Amino acid sequence: LAFFLLSFQVHEKHLLLPLLPAALLSTEHPRAYAWFALLAAFSMFPLLARDGLRLAYSVCQLAFGALAAALTPPMEVGGSATAGGLLLAASLAGMVALHVAEAALPPPRRYPDLHAVAFSAYACCHLVGAYAACLHTLWRTTATAPPHTPLDGGGTTVRERRKAE
């Protein structure tokens, strides 16, 4: 029981803490942030279901998804924007499919936690993909950004300013 409680607390902290700084980027990438927030709640669904919070979870997910869809500008057609939109749509469709399967299909007696494991594995794969996408964006941005601090070759260092005097 202690291990389960500790795992629950650690899981909650580890997923909600990265969501807070990601909120700062929501103005630049609103779709990606909305997807990340929906995925964070989705990954906690088995824990929320055990606590009897299915209805609250469903209402909050639907309300947040509808609000995010209404407030984000339409995507441009063509290129990587279309590919990104298709990936997000496929990911959301997979989340809906897992919810439908969990509601309609009882797990086999041999594997009573099959649905919880499926939710966790699906979320884990998507979180790893999101992490890889963030690293790729970071590397791409730093490779193309001009130097702007003394540590990356831009600006002047204290030594250079003393020589100039």
Side-chain angles (χ1 to χ4, degrees):
L1 182 60
F3 178 75
F4 173 76
L5 291 174
L6 183 64
S7 295
F8 175 76
Q9 296 298 325
V10 169
H11 182 267
E12 183 178 333
K13 288 178 190 175
H14 280 137
L15 201 52
L16 296 180
L17 285 176
L19 197 58
L20 184 61
L24 296 174
L25 299 174
S26 65
T27 57
E28 292 181 33
H29 305 288
R31 273 186 185 68
Y33 175 73
W35 171 79
F36 186 56
L38 289 169
L39 181 65
F42 170 83
S43 72
M44 290 189 284
F45 175 74
L47 302 173
L48 296 170
R50 284 185 186 162
D51 290 339
L53 298 172
R54 288 174 194 265
L55 181 61
Y57 164 84
S58 301
V59 169
C60 287
Q61 285 285 83
L62 289 173
F64 182 77
L67 186 64
L71 295 179
T72 55
M75 289 193 79
E76 301 169 4
V77 177
S80 64
T82 303
L86 289 175
L87 285 174
L88 288 178
S91 175
L92 293 173
M95 290 182 205
V96 170
L98 278 174
H99 280 298
V100 168
E102 189 265 341
L105 303 171
R109 286 188 200 151
R110 186 173 176 189
Y111 304 111
D113 293 327
L114 180 65
H115 295 302
V117 171
F119 275 78
S120 298
Y122 189 83
C124 179
C125 291
H126 283 75
L127 289 170
V128 168
Y131 180 68
C134 287
L135 284 179
H136 172 46
T137 302
L138 179 67
W139 289 333
R140 191 183 67 217
T141 302
T142 56
T144 59
H148 58 281
T149 68
L151 297 176
D152 60 4
T156 59
T157 63
V158 174
R159 187 176 290 163
E160 290 172 350
R161 277 185 258 152
R162 287 186 185 153
K163 283 183 182 179
E165 294 173 352

